[in-house]
């Protein structure tokens, strides 16, 4: 629950203005809109990277300010565009999601995150240390390891910030499959730049200039012929242009 939330990184400049929205448990919600409109800032307030200057954010009816930091971290997980791994084994990187996890639990999370092909090619499998002796992973591969970490944590609320942005086509398919496994049964909030990723979500909030410009399903928003509809037309045009360029 976001209630009349306003926020600015600097006192003299508000980024979000009096935003209110409700996200039911177990649903999939997307924030879309022009770059710099406040989508990521809004998500950051939900997981309490920042506190709003006005209004409040509630999870399960409780103001996030009144939830202990550890409990909040166990409630909300996030996958960013470019998830970073530490210089440690893949096993230890994934274990960060749940420090007392067994090896079997970690291996199951890696399998669910579509990481089998990564593990197979590494000299010591899951015990291979990333960043040593030429062991480097692509952005999409790192993303899948990061998703395994979040799967192991198994928090009920999940925030995805354009989580396939830096994956090449082959990796993107695997990352999408991993995210589908990860999202099952969770309350999911997606920040999306590519509109194709939001077609099937329960509700879309179009964030523009720090306010909710429109909200509804993709079908409802397209029928309205407003900002989302124009964004969709522009997106389709850019996809067709890209395909035509590749064909040439």
């Amino acid at each position: 629950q976001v209630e009349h939330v306003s926020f600015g990184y600097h006192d003299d400049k508000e980024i979000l203005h009096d935003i209110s929205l409700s996200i039911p448990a177990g649903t999939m919600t997307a924030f879309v809109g022009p770059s710099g409109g406040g989508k990521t800032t809004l998500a950051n307030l939900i997981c309490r990277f920042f506190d709003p200057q006005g209004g409040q954010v509630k999870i399960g009816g409780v103001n996030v300010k009144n939830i202990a930091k550890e409990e909040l971290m166990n409630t909300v997980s996030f996958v960013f565009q470019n998830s970073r791994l530490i210089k440690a084994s893949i096993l230890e990187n994934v274990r960060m999601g749940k420090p007392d996890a067994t090896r079997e639990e970690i291996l199951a999370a890696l399998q669910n995150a579509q990481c089998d092909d990564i593990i197979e090619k590494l000299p010591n499998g899951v015990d291979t240390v990333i960043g040593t002796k030429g062991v480097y992973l692509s952005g999409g591969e790192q993303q899948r390891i990061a998703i395994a970490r979040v799967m192991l944590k198994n928090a009920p609320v999940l925030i995805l910030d354009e989580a396939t942005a830096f994956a090449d086509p082959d990796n993107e398919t695997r990352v999408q499959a991993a995210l589908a496994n990860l999202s099952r049964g969770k309350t999911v909030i997606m920040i999306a730049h590519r509109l194709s990723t939001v077609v099937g979500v329960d509700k879309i909030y179009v964030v523009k200039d720090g306010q909710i410009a429109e909200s509804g399903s993709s079908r409802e928003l397209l029928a309205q012929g407003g900002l989302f509809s124009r964004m969709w037309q522009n997106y389709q045009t850019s996809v067709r242009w890209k395909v035509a360029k590749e064909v040439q």
Side-chain angles (χ1 to χ4, degrees):
Q1 206 83 30
V2 177
E3 298 177 349
H4 300 290
V5 159
S6 297
F7 175 80
Y9 294 103
H10 306 289
D11 292 339
D12 59 338
K13 193 178 179 213
E14 239 182 33
I15 305 235
L16 301 175
H17 322 287
D18 193 28
I19 283 188
S20 295
L21 54 88
S22 180
I23 298 172
T27 60
M28 192 170 272
T29 300
F31 297 158
V32 306
S35 185
K39 304 183 293 293
T40 299
T41 300
L42 185 53
N44 284 341
L45 295 178
I46 292 170
C47 48
R48 214 191 163 195
F49 288 156
F50 306 98
D51 286 328
Q53 277 99 0
Q56 56 186 346
V57 177
K58 294 179 178 177
I59 295 179
V62 181
N63 190 325
V64 291
K65 289 183 179 179
N66 300 327
I67 301 175
K69 189 175 278 187
E70 191 171 320
E71 187 183 345
L72 185 61
M73 286 299 98
N74 288 333
T75 304
V76 184
S77 279
F78 26 86
V79 180
F80 297 117
Q81 288 186 21
N82 52 344
S83 297
R84 293 273 179 257
L85 303 181
I86 61 169
K87 189 173 179 178
S89 70
I90 286 182
L91 193 82
E92 292 307 316
N93 265 285
V94 176
R95 184 174 268 139
M96 289 168 69
K98 183 185 174 188
D100 61 348
T102 65
R103 189 179 177 92
E104 285 67 34
E105 286 176 312
I106 294 168
L107 292 174
L110 283 161
Q111 188 170 28
N112 283 329
Q114 310 286 307
C115 295
D116 288 351
D117 63 310
I118 304 171
I119 308 303
E120 283 166 10
K121 74 175 185 180
L122 295 174
N124 298 316
V126 292
D127 299 304
T128 304
V129 175
I130 297 163
T132 56
K133 295 179 184 171
V135 177
Y136 294 101
L137 302 179
S138 71
E141 289 170 337
Q142 289 194 50
Q143 199 70 318
R144 281 185 273 151
I145 302 291
I147 291 169
R149 181 194 293 163
V150 175
M151 275 183 170
L152 189 66
K153 183 176 166 186
N154 199 27
V157 179
L158 181 61
I159 296 175
L160 307 175
D161 188 352
E162 195 56 277
T164 64
F166 293 132
D168 55 78
D170 180 46
N171 258 303
E172 182 174 0
T173 306
R174 294 173 191 264
V175 171
Q176 297 262 26
L179 289 172
N181 288 340
L182 174 62
S183 302
R184 208 165 285 131
K186 305 262 193 296
T187 304
V188 180
I189 299 166
M190 297 170 56
I191 300 164
H193 306 283
R194 283 181 291 185
L195 297 187
S196 59
T197 58
V198 304
V199 173
V201 306
D202 297 294
K203 192 157 190 178
I204 298 166
Y205 288 96
V206 183
V207 184
K208 184 189 179 191
D209 298 331
Q211 295 178 302
I212 304 295
E214 301 170 342
S215 64
S217 68
S218 59
R219 185 175 293 176
E220 289 166 348
L221 291 174
L222 286 171
Q224 284 177 24
L227 178 58
F228 181 82
S229 179
R230 290 195 298 277
M231 288 170 60
W232 181 259
Q233 286 167 356
N234 291 339
Y235 174 75
Q236 294 296 322
T237 303
S238 69
V239 169
R240 282 195 295 271
W241 179 82
K242 190 177 175 189
V243 169
K245 191 179 177 189
E246 284 174 2
V247 168
Q248 285 171 5

